[in-house]
Amino acid sequence: AASHHALARKAAAEGCVLLKNEGDLLPLAPRTRVALIGDFAETPRYQGAGSSAVNSTKVDSLLGLMGETGLELVGYEPGFERHGGENRAKLEAALDLAARAEVALLALGLDEVAETEGAERRTMALNANQVELLHAVAQVNPRIVVLLSAGSCVESDWVADAPAVLYCALGGQAGAGGALDVVTGAVCPSGKLTETWPARLEDVPSSANYPAEDLHAEYREGIYVGYRYFQTAHVPVAYPFGFGLSYTSFSYSGLKATEHGASFTVTNTGTRAGAEVAQLYVAKPDHKVFRPEQELRGFARVELAPGESRRVTIALDDRAFSYFNVATGRWEIEGGTYEVRVGASSEDVRLTGEVRLAGTAAPNPYAGIDLAPYETGKVTQVSDGHFSSLLGRQLPGSDQRINRNMCFRDLNHGRSGILWLVWLVLRSRVRAMEKSGVSDINVLFIWNMPLRAMGIMTSGITDMDVVDAVLREVRGWGWGGAVLLALALALGWGPLVGCLLWLAWVVVPILGALVANLVRNAALARKLAGRR
């Protein structure tokens, strides 16, 4: 329905995050002559791949809606190949167009393969051809507005060439209209980042250990994820958690904080109506049990007319001050003084109050244990000793274990010639998918799936007996078929008979387990039918 599409457009506009707006380039005035550049302007990246994909009733595009904006469209050029690679003709055409406009609107983003269910992101960078285009356009027209489509953060050193950057995220079927509403000023931006944008991938504490290509994926960073890490370890970021600019401005005053909540006044000090998302963080500077610098404990969105003020209250409960104690197995509260901080982002704290709590008097579960990286939050390189101390046990060995948790992508570590071939086929399919830029979720699911999933996700067709039969083959049991092949050749039965015997030796145990499972399921179905 039209009303549903209108609601989707409103949600998309309010979800856009204005990351940069030098010289108040945005919003664009009516009749501004704009060049629309970027493949995503014609074919939007508006949703994720895999289970999140839905069939939209309609999908808006920036190009399709330009006639409704009041802006004067000079022209459109794709500018780059969507999935990477150089195309000088597209680049040159985009530069010619940008030189003839007052403002260049660049639609950049991550493609469908960069973010997909079933696979890890291995880079935070935009495709190099998009960054090259931006740098080149800046030479012929420095008045650039980047409309960025992506489901998560990207490295953003390229923003130096763009006076204005609007993060459109994955805006859904009406995302293009929502973005243009912000660009033209029909909507005052109020979105805030729900994750920290690191300056580079290497700054992320898990980058040294993940994605994991070996048997184990180790999350050595512990509780220091996102802003909890960057603020505790004092690592500079591109954009902090909770950040987002507006076409107006807001002030905070009159904080009153108790253990049950905080109240304060937000005032629109600008010249146009807008919405602010006020955020409340809790910190304990004199903590004994290690914890992040501060943690988000609540937020409130408040819409205000120019000059309007409103009192805002954000409630707090016991969990707002607690930590999980691994010794007691419960959430505990460390006694002492806590800071209640209110601001416009995790790095833009405007008001601070104090709250004193008695605490639950639980013992420090880490007393006497050397956890230096976790005390400081500097967890990019956690040693085996420190990680083992945190876990409270020895780390698992690095040897490749053949068990139900082994993934299909690890079949090359097994001893089965046939399953080596399966691994080779899967790997070639994954590499072909990555090269083509077209996501194949089914291939990725199988590639990253543990063998035990066959007994869980096949609607009863297989069970763990079948999985164990496959595991026997992974362990090399099937090589016993080589004896049959050699015997067949020695007795003059021929290579064809020998190969059939080998295959039978390998396949029959698996088929036998499969048939046995099907028989059990059929018997169970008859039994249940009889009870009805």
Side-chain angles (χ1 to χ4, degrees), residues 313-518:
T313 299
I314 301 176
L316 293 171
D317 58 18
D318 289 346
R319 189 63 62 84
F321 304 96
S322 63
Y323 69 95
F324 188 80
N325 189 303
V326 295
T328 65
R330 297 191 303 266
W331 292 93
E332 306 284 2
I333 296 177
E334 188 178 347
T337 301
Y338 288 80
E339 289 187 358
V340 175
R341 303 170 179 175
V342 175
S345 81
S346 59
E347 291 190 359
D348 185 9
V349 174
R350 308 287 184 87
L351 305 170
T352 301
E354 289 188 351
V355 173
R356 287 196 60 83
L357 297 175
T360 54
N364 184 345
Y366 308 113
I369 301 175
D370 180 11
L371 293 174
Y374 300 102
E375 298 288 350
T376 62
K378 297 179 179 180
V379 291
T380 52
Q381 297 292 334
V382 175
S383 69
D384 289 352
H386 286 129
F387 189 41
S388 178
S389 295
L390 178 70
L391 292 176
R393 61 180 183 273
Q394 291 295 316
L395 302 184
S398 60
D399 56 309
Q400 186 68 38
R401 298 180 183 177
I402 299 176
N403 56 34
R404 294 175 176 177
N405 294 320
M406 186 180 195
C407 294
F408 278 80
R409 65 185 298 160
D410 298 321
L411 287 176
N412 61 317
H413 294 286
R415 307 183 188 93
S416 168
I418 290 178
L419 293 179
W420 287 344
L421 180 61
V422 170
W423 174 85
L424 188 63
V425 170
L426 284 172
R427 188 186 66 165
S428 65
R429 290 288 302 277
V430 170
R431 290 185 174 179
M433 180 208 69
E434 292 172 344
K435 185 176 181 181
S436 69
V438 179
S439 178
D440 189 330
I441 297 298
N442 290 328
V443 170
L444 289 173
F445 277 164
I446 297 172
W447 179 245
N448 293 300
M449 185 174 72
L451 296 180
R452 57 182 163 77
M454 291 191 300
I456 301 172
M457 302 176 63
T458 55
S459 301
I461 296 175
T462 63
D463 65 359
M464 288 305 170
D465 289 339
V466 178
V467 173
D468 291 338
V470 173
L471 278 173
R472 286 194 291 273
E473 173 58 25
V474 177
R475 294 186 177 105
W477 186 86
W479 283 107
V483 176
L484 296 178
L485 173 60
L487 180 62
L489 293 176
L491 296 176
W493 294 348
L496 178 59
V497 173
C499 288
L500 289 175
L501 288 172
W502 192 350
L503 285 174
W505 180 269
V506 172
V507 174
V508 166
I510 299 175
L511 287 179
L514 182 60
V515 170
N517 180 62
L518 293 175

Side-chain angles (χ1 to χ4, degrees), residues 16-20 26 146-148 164-168 179 182-183 189:
C16 288
V17 183
L18 184 60
L19 296 178
K20 186 178 180 182
L26 292 177
V146 170
L147 304 179
L148 181 64
V165 179
L166 184 67
Y167 175 49
C168 306
V182 175
V183 167

